Amino acid sequence: MADYDISTVELEDDRYEVVQSLVRNKYAVRDSTGEVVLRGKQKLFKLKEQFPFVDADGNDAFTVKAGGVLDVAGNYAIVDAATGEEVVVLDEDYSLFAENWTVRDPDTGAALATITSKNKLLEVLRHFVGAAGLIPHKYEIADAEGDHVGSIDGKFSLKDAYTVTIDDASDVPKEAVVAAACVLDALEGS
């Protein structure tokens, strides 16, 4: 299996907290001890959406870059800041009624993991009833074989907040899943 790690980041926990700033699409990722391990923010007013992330010391870690101009449904490459190489691609499988993402190998396109809404009915309501957006999002993470390996669970909070849990035995790239939690939140406008 290829190596999907980001050279500048080492995420070893099985559980992370992702919290959005009140002001704009700016995120802090904390490990199980409460220490900040990553910070990321959506760059505004760019033709191609970008979400640069830095490590706890403020050093460039990776950037999530949209594949196309104003990509509504498409792909977002996670680019390692040290190597400039695409590590994985987050591919949105656009649907009016569900939020489905696939983490793919950037060269072969092979699926490494999927991130899907846990509650399809609630996702339908979100698109038609504004108040349904107040209910936190919940996603299931599955590996390439479709086996459950983790979750992204929204919390009731003034700020968008998520708990990302990835089973220890999983070979799903943790950095990609943590970045996906931030990108999902920003793009879904929750």
Side-chain angles (χ1 to χ4, degrees), residues 92-101 115-125 127 139 188:
E92 182 178 17
D93 305 320
Y94 182 74
S95 167
L96 182 60
F97 303 113
E99 296 168 18
N100 301 308
W101 290 76
I115 301 170
T116 56
S117 302
K118 287 184 180 180
N119 188 332
K120 303 295 186 220
L121 177 60
L122 183 57
E123 294 310 319
V124 170
L125 287 174
H127 292 283
Y139 303 94
E188 299 300 341

Side-chain angles (χ1 to χ4, degrees), residues 17-20 136 153-157 159-163 185:
E17 299 295 324
V18 177
V19 179
Q20 180 187 27
D153 293 316
K155 301 184 213 176
F156 283 103
S157 171
K159 307 179 209 180
D160 289 344
Y162 297 87
T163 300
D185 181 77

Side-chain angles (χ1 to χ4, degrees), residues 54-78:
V54 296
D55 65 15
D57 298 322
N59 300 313
D60 290 340
F62 60 91
T63 299
V64 180
K65 294 183 178 181
V69 175
L70 300 176
D71 212 344
V72 175
N75 61 36
Y76 296 81
I78 295 181

Side-chain angles (χ1 to χ4, degrees), residues 11 15-21 25-30 38 40-42 51 53 62 64 76 78 88 90-91 99 101-103 114-116 136-141 150-155 159-166 172-190:
L11 299 183
R15 184 180 181 95
Y16 296 90
E17 299 295 324
V18 177
V19 179
Q20 180 187 27
S21 162
N25 290 341
K26 189 174 178 182
Y27 301 88
V29 179
R30 297 179 185 279
L38 288 171
K41 65 181 174 183
Q42 182 179 17
F51 299 81
F53 285 80
F62 60 91
V64 180
Y76 296 81
I78 295 181
V88 297
L90 303 173
D91 186 20
E99 296 168 18
W101 290 76
T102 304
V103 179
T114 57
I115 301 170
T116 56
H137 289 264
K138 295 188 182 291
Y139 303 94
E140 179 175 8
I141 305 163
S151 61
I152 301 173
D153 293 316
K155 301 184 213 176
K159 307 179 209 180
D160 289 344
Y162 297 87
T163 300
V164 178
T165 306
I166 305 165
V172 170
K174 291 181 184 182
E175 295 88 353
V177 172
V178 170
C182 300
V183 172
L184 280 164
D185 181 77
L187 295 178
E188 299 300 341
S190 51

